[in-house]
Amino acid sequence: KDKKRISKESFRRSLRIFQYVLPYRGKFLLGLLFLFLSSVTFMTFPGLLGRLIGGNEASDSPIDRFFNVDNIDQVALLLLVAFLLQAVFSFMRIFLFADVTERAIAQLRIDTYGHLVKLPMTFFNRERVGELNSRISNDISMLQDTFMTTLAELLRQVIVILGGVSLLFFYSVELTLVMLISVPVMMMAAFFFGKFIRSLSKTTQAELARSQVVVEETLTAIQSVKAFANELLEIRRYNNVVEEVRKVAMRGAKWRGAFASFVIFGLFGAVVLVIWYGVKLRNEGVIGLDELTSFILYSVFVGGSIGGVADIFGRVQKAIGATESLFDIMEEDAEQISNDANAPSLDLKGSIDFEQVTYAYPSRKDKVVLDRLELHVKAGEKIAFVGPSGAGKTTIAALILRYYKATSGTIKFDGKPALDYNISALRNEMALVPQDVILFGGSIRENIEYGRPGAPFEEVRIAAEKANALEFIESFPEGFDTLVGERGVQLSGGQRQRIAIARAILKDPRILILDEATSSLDAESERLVQEALERLMEGRTSLVIAHRLSTIRKVDRIMVLDHGSIKEQGTHDELIALENGIYRNLTELQLLDLN
């Protein structure tokens, strides 16, 4: 995720993520305590190692002052105790932070997904599915890493830097000033140098990905490549991309070599400078061997921590970016969804009224899709919508399902404004059979049962029989337990349509919407699906969106739309009799296409 600049507002906003930690604040604070104890114990290692190297000679080091040791045996014992405490403290810190993090992140995932699913269709129309998937997976994983590792590392580095610098001044003020001038500066320079090299590596990977795209495109379209005799053209294209990969890789190699030279000369040179000056002070009797050894080790610790803080700061910036992306979703207005168990039951008869309804999509407000539409559908009536693409047929279905809100005008169900109904209860009275049926990756039974979760198997079987699906389902070895594959790819188009119809039959809705449900089927599949649809429409308010006009001759009324308005309406026979009528022209054009 792109890093976000840490401003006061972004930092304040990102702190909201800690609301997920609050329920476990006791464990979190205990984890912080163990982190502090672990860091303090860690800071005793250089001092103890230096004192151990110094041998049994008397010393004025902090170790002697704090622990009153007389010989190296006591120092070695203290080191073992420190290692043991460090192990215990680190285990407790990691365990507590992991426990809090996993619980908090699990709740964050649940809340984010729950809110995402409740967002209106207008949100999904403007957002990319891949981007949303990234937010709920990659961004949350980044926050998981932040809570479990980055936060602990940041606090540890701060403790090491503050404690280490304080101890360095305690050992030698002069030597500390030399160290602070040289080692940390080199560490920071090495970090930014390394960051630049990483960016070059990313460029190399991007160029390499381009070469893979060429291979994928060529092999995918190999039939066209050979048909047009363009093998040599594709080879030249691939050669050019590979040459670019080589050039970028060599540029990175040069900088990596320069970086290695810099580390050898600069960073190690700074360490040598500190050691040289420390030995000089020791020869002058200003500092002892154990103190010098401890000082060098503390210098390495502090220098490494200062260099590490820059990297941690980068990760914190990414975490802030991830937090803002997640809360961008959480702050979107969701639909007022009710749980199935709590949604009030409606006793709809099924009449629908559009009164002067105008609608324009939010992304194209200048283009009116429906223009002061007047539509009145009686309960149980079968209505078909026909017309050219863009006339507003699918938009009417979307407004009935309350995917969108009308720009102006009123939509009523049984004479009551749609906005007065609970949205979950209203949609529970409807069913949709779309043109492109996308099934879930489970079994056939689970996909049919989606119409009414928890329905008895016998009712699922009856629904499949009414949908003309029972024969092909029982022909499979696993029957209703047959897995349909991702998006239902294991089934044919006609089979998927009949599964969708069975799902709608099981739901038993008052209002049925068929969105070009047979437009992409062969003749035999269309016949079976059409028979199932006619059974499904019996006794329900049915709205049929159709391109194949032959499938709608039995409906009660046909509405002909053009430019967002109803231009003609009537039965098939009435509309076909109109001279120069839109419906008649559409019918004649389809007959010509068939011929």
Side-chain angles (χ1 to χ4, degrees):
K1 197 69 185 175
D2 291 340
K3 294 178 184 178
K4 297 280 186 180
R5 186 178 295 276
I6 299 181
S7 63
K8 183 178 179 181
E9 173 59 25
S10 64
F11 183 73
R12 182 193 62 79
R13 194 176 181 217
S14 66
L15 288 179
R16 291 170 54 191
I17 200 69
F18 281 95
Q19 70 190 29
Y20 289 94
V21 178
L22 281 178
Y24 320 106
R25 54 185 174 273
K27 287 185 178 180
F28 187 71
L29 292 174
L30 189 58
L32 288 177
L33 174 61
F34 280 113
L35 172 64
F36 176 77
L37 293 174
S38 173
S39 301
V40 170
T41 307
F42 178 71
M43 290 304 295
T44 64
F45 293 159
L48 288 168
L49 285 172
R51 182 66 183 84
L52 185 64
I53 292 172
N56 291 324
E57 296 179 6
S59 173
D60 193 34
S61 69
I63 297 299
D64 288 80
R65 295 186 185 185
F66 295 145
F67 296 104
N68 192 27
V69 295
D70 296 325
N71 54 63
I72 59 172
D73 296 336
Q74 293 176 334
V75 177
L77 182 61
L78 282 174
L79 265 172
L80 289 175
V81 172
F83 280 129
L84 177 62
L85 290 175
Q86 172 75 1
V88 173
F89 296 154
S90 295
F91 173 81
M92 293 303 298
R93 187 266 299 174
I94 292 171
F95 175 79
L96 289 169
F97 272 25
D99 185 57
V100 171
T101 299
E102 293 299 339
R103 292 176 186 273
I105 292 299
Q107 190 59 51
L108 178 60
R109 289 185 192 278
I110 291 169
D111 289 354
T112 305
Y113 178 77
H115 188 78
L116 186 64
V117 171
K118 293 178 183 177
L119 292 177
M121 289 299 297
T122 50
F123 172 82
F124 294 102
N125 288 343
R126 70 171 188 265
E127 296 287 342
R128 293 181 176 182
V129 173
E131 173 68 16
L132 295 174
N133 188 48
S134 173
R135 292 191 197 182
I136 204 169
S137 57
N138 298 342
D139 286 0
I140 292 180
S141 295
M142 188 176 295
L143 290 175
Q144 185 177 22
D145 181 64
T146 299
F147 278 114
M148 194 174 291
T149 307
T150 306
L151 183 61
E153 284 297 317
L154 179 61
L155 293 173
R156 179 196 294 279
Q157 303 293 31
V158 169
I159 293 171
V160 168
I161 291 170
L162 295 178
V165 171
S166 300
L167 287 168
L168 286 173
F169 275 110
F170 190 90
Y171 279 107
S172 173
V173 175
E174 282 184 76
L175 205 51
T176 301
L177 293 175
V178 173
M179 189 281 297
L180 291 177
I181 291 171
S182 57
V183 175
V185 173
M186 290 298 106
M187 289 283 189
M188 292 294 290
F191 167 77
F192 288 110
F193 211 149
K195 185 179 178 183
F196 173 68
I197 290 174
R198 284 196 299 273
S199 69
L200 285 178
S201 296
K202 287 182 181 178
T203 306
T204 304
Q205 291 300 317
E207 291 295 331
L208 192 59
R210 279 186 58 204
S211 71
Q212 293 301 110
V213 168
V214 173
V215 173
E216 183 179 348
E217 288 178 346
T218 303
L219 296 182
T220 302
I222 192 66
Q223 186 174 356
S224 298
V225 172
K226 290 190 174 295
F228 288 92
N230 277 335
E231 291 93 340
L232 295 179
L233 174 67
E234 294 300 328
I235 290 170
R236 283 196 299 273
R237 190 159 72 108
Y238 184 71
N239 289 349
N240 292 336
V241 175
V242 170
E243 180 61 19
E244 287 300 316
V245 174
R246 187 194 66 80
K247 288 179 180 178
V248 174
M250 284 307 300
R251 186 181 171 209
K254 290 175 184 176
W255 282 105
R256 281 197 303 274
F259 178 64
S261 300
F262 168 79
V263 169
I264 292 169
F265 180 78
L267 194 55
F268 287 108
V271 173
V272 169
L273 175 64
V274 173
I275 294 173
W276 168 78
Y277 196 75
V279 172
K280 186 178 178 182
L281 292 178
R282 180 175 179 273
N283 291 338
E284 294 174 359
V286 177
I287 190 171
L289 176 61
D290 59 336
E291 293 170 309
L292 176 59
T293 304
S294 297
F295 186 93
I296 293 170
L297 291 173
Y298 278 122
S299 297
V300 173
F301 280 25
V302 171
S305 295
I306 292 173
V309 164
D311 181 57
I312 292 172
F313 185 74
R315 281 187 274 164
V316 169
Q317 284 180 290
K318 289 182 179 181
I320 288 175
T323 304
E324 290 197 273
S325 295
L326 286 173
F327 281 117
D328 284 342
I329 293 177
M330 301 293 275
E331 289 169 1
E332 291 280 346
D333 292 330
E335 294 176 330
Q336 296 302 309
I337 304 297
S338 298
N339 295 327
D340 291 344
N342 300 327
S345 177
L346 303 180
D347 187 22
L348 279 186
K349 293 179 175 61
S351 69
I352 305 170
D353 297 288
F354 278 56
E355 298 176 354
Q356 293 290 303
V357 172
T358 298
Y359 181 76
Y361 287 102
S363 58
R364 305 192 307 273
K365 292 184 179 180
D366 56 323
K367 182 174 175 56
V368 176
V369 183
L370 297 179
D371 186 14
R372 291 170 293 178
L373 181 71
E374 282 283 339
L375 171 67
H376 304 283
V377 182
K378 299 175 185 176
E381 193 174 13
K382 299 178 182 65
I383 302 292
F385 296 98
V386 301
S389 296
K393 305 185 293 296
T394 301
T395 302
I396 290 175
L399 290 173
I400 290 173
L401 285 162
R402 282 186 62 183
Y403 289 165
Y404 315 114
K405 292 181 181 178
T407 306
S408 63
T410 306
I411 301 172
K412 295 181 178 179
F413 295 93
D414 289 359
K416 182 179 175 182
L419 296 179
D420 291 350
Y421 288 96
N422 174 277
I423 193 168
S424 298
L426 189 61
R427 287 176 181 165
N428 275 336
E429 300 290 335
M430 305 181 194
L432 169 68
V433 180
Q435 175 184 2
D436 298 318
V437 176
I438 298 177
L439 301 181
F440 296 93
S443 66
I444 290 176
R445 176 179 177 176
E446 288 169 340
N447 273 281
I448 296 176
E449 201 176 296
Y450 200 77
R452 182 154 53 89
F457 174 70
E458 188 55 36
E459 293 185 23
V460 173
R461 192 178 185 280
I462 292 171
E465 185 176 14
K466 289 181 178 179
N468 281 345
L470 187 60
E471 183 179 351
F472 83 79
I473 292 173
E474 292 187 337
S475 70
F476 296 135
E478 294 84 7
F480 280 85
D481 293 325
T482 301
L483 298 179
V484 302
E486 186 178 357
R487 300 166 67 90
V489 295
Q490 303 290 347
L491 304 178
S492 68
Q495 289 171 338
R496 288 198 298 271
Q497 286 287 4
R498 281 175 275 171
I499 294 296
I501 293 169
R503 180 191 293 170
I505 290 172
L506 186 65
K507 187 174 185 180
D508 192 24
R510 289 304 310 150
I511 298 171
L512 177 67
I513 300 172
L514 307 176
D515 189 355
E516 302 184 37
T518 63
S519 64
S520 58
L521 303 179
D522 58 75
E524 178 60 20
S525 295
E526 181 181 346
R527 182 185 66 80
L528 292 170
V529 169
Q530 193 62 42
E531 288 177 2
L533 289 174
E534 288 172 4
R535 293 194 198 102
L536 177 58
M537 287 190 287
E538 290 177 6
R540 311 176 202 279
T541 303
S542 302
L543 308 174
V544 183
I545 299 169
H547 277 167
R548 291 190 184 181
L549 305 185
S550 59
T551 63
I552 58 171
R553 295 187 178 185
K554 295 182 180 179
V555 299
D556 299 318
R557 278 191 296 159
I558 298 171
M559 304 287 183
V560 183
L561 282 91
D562 193 22
H563 294 95
S565 301
I566 297 174
K567 302 298 185 182
E568 301 169 2
Q569 60 175 301
T571 64
H572 170 77
D573 292 335
E574 291 170 348
L575 294 176
I576 208 74
L578 295 176
E579 282 288 337
N580 297 320
I582 298 174
Y583 181 80
R584 180 171 176 173
N585 289 335
L586 289 171
T587 305
E588 290 174 351
L589 284 172
Q590 289 198 3
L591 288 173
L592 285 173
D593 290 340
L594 290 173
N595 294 331

